[in-house]
Amino acid sequence: MKVHFVVYEGADTIAWLEAGNFNGATVTYEVLPRPVVEPQVLYSGEFQQFTYEFKDNGVLTISGDFSVLGVWSNGAWVGLANPDDANWNTKLPWFANNFRTDVKEIVLDTPNLVEIKPWMLCGMGNATKLTIPASLETIGDNAFGRCGNLTTITVAGNEEVAGTIDFTNVKTIGAQLLNN
């Protein structure tokens, strides 16, 4: 008896085939490259001055041409009073659509951003990567509260500088940045 397998690249699959007992059958196989699967958009839209997109690979991208990441309220840009602020946490997309705990990477694709208001990106506890623009000057209290797993922060445009973060433009960082 002859058995022919077509498998995708991967040492585990090939090892299984080579070590397998197929009751005396002659086993042949061909290995194909793994297909490239583009991440799919799960949520996207606009909220006040920014657009957002959250993909199934866990990447949340916030983009737009604005200087303050906050919420417009009573004629001013403000942050959340706390992470359970009922006035806004039902409106901000990552709260309203309840995907903030699924975020693995936050990308702020906002070249003119100078300020992030308090608690704006809080509660993304599984996020390990953050990309901020070089224009950022002020990070509000607990802007990334309850994001204690952030291990990599990249300043856009400074990716080639391994192991260092250029916070040259940042003048103010809130009292607690990550606060678990």
Side-chain angles (χ1 to χ4, degrees), residues 13-149:
T13 303
I14 294 170
W16 172 79
L17 285 169
E18 291 175 346
N21 180 356
F22 298 97
N23 296 325
T26 303
V27 176
T28 58
Y29 60 88
E30 64 182 287
V31 179
L32 301 177
R34 290 198 180 272
V36 176
V37 179
E38 293 296 319
Q40 300 298 305
V41 175
L42 298 177
Y43 299 98
S44 66
E46 295 180 14
F47 180 81
Q48 294 189 351
Q49 82 278 25
F50 62 84
T51 59
Y52 67 94
E53 183 176 79
F54 178 65
K55 294 185 177 180
D56 63 0
N57 62 353
V59 177
L60 170 63
T61 302
I62 297 171
S63 56
D65 186 13
F66 57 92
S67 60
V68 177
L69 181 56
V71 292
W72 187 253
S73 179
N74 298 319
W77 291 109
V78 298
L80 279 62
N82 60 65
D84 303 312
D85 185 344
N87 291 323
W88 291 105
N89 67 11
T90 58
K91 297 178 181 114
L92 284 170
W94 37 93
F95 283 98
N97 294 314
N98 202 28
F99 63 77
R100 69 183 183 278
T101 58
D102 298 324
V103 173
K104 295 177 185 162
E105 180 177 353
I106 305 163
V107 177
L108 298 177
D109 184 15
T110 52
N112 297 315
L113 182 66
V114 294
E115 181 178 7
I116 301 172
K117 291 292 189 178
W119 295 104
M120 285 303 298
L121 296 166
C122 68
M124 298 183 198
N126 290 317
T128 59
K129 296 179 181 179
L130 168 66
T131 301
I132 60 175
S135 59
L136 189 61
E137 295 178 3
T138 302
I139 301 171
D141 290 349
N142 294 301
F144 303 100
R146 299 181 183 170
C147 294
N149 287 317

Side-chain angles (χ1 to χ4, degrees), residues 147-171:
C147 294
N149 287 317
L150 283 173
T151 55
T152 303
I153 300 175
T154 303
V155 178
N158 293 337
E159 292 86 350
E160 71 280 356
V161 184
T164 62
I165 302 171
D166 181 2
F167 280 111
T168 304
N169 290 335
V170 177
K171 296 173 179 63

